[in-house]
């Protein structure tokens, strides 16, 4: 039997008509004359018994062939299995955790209607086999859909980035544009949103008598596969689609191991949002809606302003506007204590070593921009001086320092463009 796509599609239609793979195989055996009627062997002669056994062997051989091709045809239209530890049932069309009004919720969020895996595969321009391949989970894998590299942190350590390979990245970008970006986020969020930036985040904290900065520890790894699946369920998708979308957007943290000349990618924990996937930042914004709402309400009640950019939370106490603040009002301890409780309540953790309090006399920087005084946020003077010096040296033929490249200079210019586009344009022309 051939196994071309058209043949497999025909076979799958036969399976659907028969009801099950076994029923389809039995029907094919009957049509081809291989189905043997079972008979008692007690009264058979040796010749009859030998012939009967031969017929049974021929039936068994043909059955194996038919079943193998039928199973292959079935897998072209069904997910079947997604790896150890992942619940999947092709026949499941509802689940007790699904929203009762799931389709109405999806329509309310203006999400594409996706009721079956085949619809998701078509939307992603993939076959069912390719979709299963992208979503499949293995604790120990010989290859994965991510490329690992590191970038330096400010403290000198390295941050691991897992960048999705092209096929998965294309699927994640579709999920980002068509689903995640349409979900509700809180107004205090400024990271990875159209029309918002580090500049809009910093602008909310100008003219402050005190700034408190707090970081969320292990932000992306804390958002695990079940939490991501919950996002898609709450958005209006049922069990099967929510499971596939969550698997496409998560991956287990892995260690790369060499064993007997083979590279293995060994899972170190549960699947979570990988730092490097285009969907990860936007999904954190969605999952933090309740936390942002609670913290924003707390801050407002205590007289503080609040914004969040990814895992950086910033609070500021506005300068006096006619009414003097008491020492109790300006004490950040109650705010910090309550924020830690809310953060823990919402499944995150405040980094114990990265809470900073900056008073009016100090250098108040928010997402890298200076916000002291009533003026607009601005790039630190040190950065501007460094950039001008490097460009002056270039104009004189003096080579850049070891830690400077044209790419880093272009990055600094892009940084300046956040707050001063005209100056950035002049610097860009000068560098060119």
């Amino acid at each position: 039997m051939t196994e071309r796509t058209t043949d497999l599609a025909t076979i799958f239609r036969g399976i659907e008509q028969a009801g099950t793979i076994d029923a389809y195989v039995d029907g094919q055996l009957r049509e081809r004359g291989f189905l043997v009627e079972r008979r008692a062997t007690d009264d058979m002669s040796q010749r009859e018994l030998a012939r009967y056994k031969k017929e049974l062997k021929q039936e068994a051989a043909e059955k194996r062939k038919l079943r193998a091709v039928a199973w292959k045809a079935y897998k072209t239209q069904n997910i079947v299995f997604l790896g150890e530890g992942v619940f999947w049932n092709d026949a499941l069309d509802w689940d007790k955790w699904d929203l009762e009004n799931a389709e109405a919720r999806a329509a309310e969020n203006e999400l594409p209607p996706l009721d079956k895996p085949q619809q998701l595969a078509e939307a992603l321009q993939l076959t069912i086999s390719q979709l299963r391949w992208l979503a499949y989970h293995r604790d120990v894998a010989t290859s994965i859909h991510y490329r690992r590299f590191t970038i330096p942190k400010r403290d000198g350590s390295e941050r691991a980035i897992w960048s999705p390979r092209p096929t998965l990245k294309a699927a994640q970008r579709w999920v980002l544009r068509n689903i995640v970006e349409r979900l509700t986020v809180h107004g205090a969020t400024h990271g990875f949103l159209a029309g918002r930036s580090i500049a809009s985040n910093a602008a909310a904290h100008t003219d402050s008598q005190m700034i408190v900065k707090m970081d969320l520890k292990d932000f992306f790894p804390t958002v695990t596969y079940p939490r991501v699946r919950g996002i898609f369920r709450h958005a209006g998708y049922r069990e099967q689609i929510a499971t596939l979308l969550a698997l496409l957007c998560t991956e287990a943290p892995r260690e790369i191991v060499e064993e007997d000349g083979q590279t293995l990618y060994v899972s170190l924990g549960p699947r979570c949002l990988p730092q490097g996937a285009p969907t990860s930042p936007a999904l954190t914004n969605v999952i933090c809606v309740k936390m942002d709402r609670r913290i924003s309400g707390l801050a407002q009640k205590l007289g503080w302003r609040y914004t969040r950019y990814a895992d950086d939370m910033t609070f500021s106490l506005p300068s006096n506007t006619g009414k003097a603040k008491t020492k109790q009002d300006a004490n950040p301890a109650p705010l910090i204590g309550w924020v830690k409780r809310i953060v823990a309540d919402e499944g995150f953790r405040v980094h114990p070593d990265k809470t900073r309090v900056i008073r009016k006399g100090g250098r108040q920087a928010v997402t890298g921009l200076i916000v002291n005084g009533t003026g607009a946020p601005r790039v630190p003077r040190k950065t501007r001086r460094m950039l001008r010096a490097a460009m002056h040296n270039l104009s004189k033929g003096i080579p850049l320092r070891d830690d400077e490249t044209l790419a880093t200079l272009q990055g600094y210019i892009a940084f300046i463009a956040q707050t001063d586009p005209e100056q950035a344009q002049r610097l860009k022309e000068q560098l060119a």
Side-chain angles (χ1 to χ4, degrees):
M1 297 180 65
T2 62
E3 296 181 9
R4 293 176 301 181
T5 303
T6 53
D7 294 328
L8 293 175
T10 302
I11 293 169
F12 180 73
R13 285 195 295 272
I15 294 171
E16 285 188 309
Q17 291 170 358
T20 65
I21 289 178
D22 287 339
Y24 168 79
V25 170
D26 287 344
Q28 289 294 304
L29 288 172
R30 188 176 294 107
E31 282 184 22
R32 296 162 188 238
F34 284 99
L35 191 62
V36 179
E37 182 183 349
R38 269 46 180 182
R39 307 189 301 275
T41 59
D42 295 345
D43 298 329
M44 287 185 181
S45 66
Q46 289 186 347
R47 181 177 295 180
E48 288 175 329
L49 182 61
R51 184 168 60 248
Y52 181 60
K53 288 182 176 180
K54 183 178 179 181
E55 290 172 351
L56 289 175
K57 286 182 178 179
Q58 289 175 335
E59 179 196 276
E62 187 66 14
K63 187 173 185 177
R64 283 194 296 271
K65 293 178 185 177
L66 285 167
R67 187 170 180 79
V69 178
W71 185 245
K72 189 170 184 178
Y74 181 84
K75 289 176 69 176
T76 64
Q77 302 296 321
N78 292 273
I79 295 296
V80 181
F81 186 57
L82 286 170
E84 189 173 347
V86 179
F87 172 76
W88 185 265
N89 183 345
D90 282 314
L92 187 68
D93 57 1
W94 68 275
D95 184 86
K96 66 178 182 178
W97 301 112
D98 291 338
L99 295 178
E100 290 184 7
N101 59 339
E103 288 76 15
R105 176 69 66 83
E108 181 183 319
N109 287 323
E110 299 183 348
L111 303 183
L114 301 171
D115 300 320
K116 298 292 182 182
Q118 290 86 346
Q119 289 176 290
L120 177 59
E122 289 171 7
L124 298 175
Q125 298 184 339
L126 300 170
T127 64
I128 285 290
S129 297
Q130 290 171 322
L131 178 58
R132 180 173 53 245
W133 172 63
L134 290 178
Y136 202 93
H137 172 77
R138 288 183 176 86
D139 286 332
V140 179
T142 55
S143 65
I144 58 174
H145 300 292
Y146 290 84
R147 181 175 60 88
R148 184 185 185 276
F149 61 93
T150 60
I151 58 174
K153 292 184 181 180
R154 283 182 295 182
D155 61 6
S157 61
E158 290 188 334
R159 185 189 308 278
I161 303 296
W162 293 87
S163 176
R165 300 187 185 278
T167 304
L168 178 58
K169 181 178 285 188
Q172 290 176 341
R173 282 178 173 161
W174 186 93
V175 174
L176 175 66
R177 289 192 303 268
N178 293 278
I179 299 177
V180 183
E181 287 182 345
R182 300 183 183 185
L183 302 180
T184 302
V185 299
H186 193 269
T189 303
H190 287 262
F192 317 103
L193 288 173
R196 298 198 173 188
S197 64
I198 60 171
S200 67
N201 184 61
H205 300 286
T206 57
D207 193 23
S208 301
Q209 61 171 297
M210 186 185 301
I211 287 179
V212 175
K213 300 168 71 173
M214 304 173 75
D215 282 17
L216 298 173
K217 185 174 176 60
D218 298 328
F219 189 44
F220 283 6
T222 304
V223 184
T224 55
Y225 160 73
R227 300 182 75 177
V228 177
R229 185 176 56 180
I231 290 176
F232 292 117
R233 277 189 155 178
H234 190 262
Y237 290 121
R238 297 193 181 275
E239 165 69 22
Q240 289 186 335
I241 298 299
T243 295
L244 288 167
L245 291 172
L247 289 169
L248 289 174
C249 296
T250 59
E251 176 56 275
R254 295 184 182 272
E255 182 178 358
I256 303 175
V257 177
E258 298 291 337
E259 184 174 313
D260 297 330
Q262 186 178 35
T263 301
L264 300 176
Y265 299 86
V266 181
S267 169
L268 299 177
R271 293 179 74 96
C272 57
L273 294 181
Q275 188 149 348
T279 42
S280 293
L283 283 167
T284 61
N285 285 341
V286 176
I287 207 166
C288 286
V289 166
K290 184 181 175 184
M291 182 185 77
D292 289 334
R293 186 184 299 125
R294 293 179 66 187
I295 293 177
S296 184
L298 169 71
Q300 188 174 4
K301 183 177 180 180
L302 297 178
W304 293 75
R305 299 173 292 196
Y306 164 67
T307 63
R308 182 180 58 79
Y309 191 99
D311 56 351
D312 294 333
M313 299 184 298
T314 305
F315 304 85
S316 62
L317 194 61
S319 292
N320 297 336
T321 54
K323 181 181 177 182
K325 295 281 184 182
T326 66
K327 287 185 178 180
Q328 184 176 357
D329 291 333
N331 179 12
L335 172 76
I336 294 172
W338 277 107
V339 168
K340 287 181 177 179
R341 294 181 195 179
I342 293 173
V343 166
D345 254 3
E346 298 300 326
F348 293 97
R349 186 158 66 100
V350 171
H351 199 299
D353 304 324
K354 291 190 176 181
T355 297
R356 299 172 296 284
V357 178
I358 311 167
R359 301 185 184 275
K360 195 166 187 176
R363 178 176 173 271
Q364 296 178 333
V366 177
T367 44
L369 299 172
I370 305 302
V371 296
N372 293 77
T374 58
R378 52 207 175 275
V379 174
R381 186 180 294 111
K382 180 180 178 181
T383 300
R384 297 197 302 269
R385 285 176 175 171
M386 181 278 300
L387 182 58
R388 284 198 296 267
M391 295 180 67
H392 174 76
N393 289 340
L394 277 178
S395 68
K396 298 296 183 182
I398 302 173
L400 296 172
R401 300 196 313 258
D402 290 342
D403 60 343
E404 293 176 339
T405 65
L406 287 176
T408 58
L409 299 187
Q410 290 167 343
Y412 283 124
I413 292 174
F415 182 38
I416 291 173
Q418 298 275 347
T419 56
D420 193 341
E422 292 182 4
Q423 183 188 14
Q425 183 59 35
R426 290 195 298 271
L427 290 169
K428 189 182 295 184
E429 292 170 358
Q430 184 181 345
L431 183 62

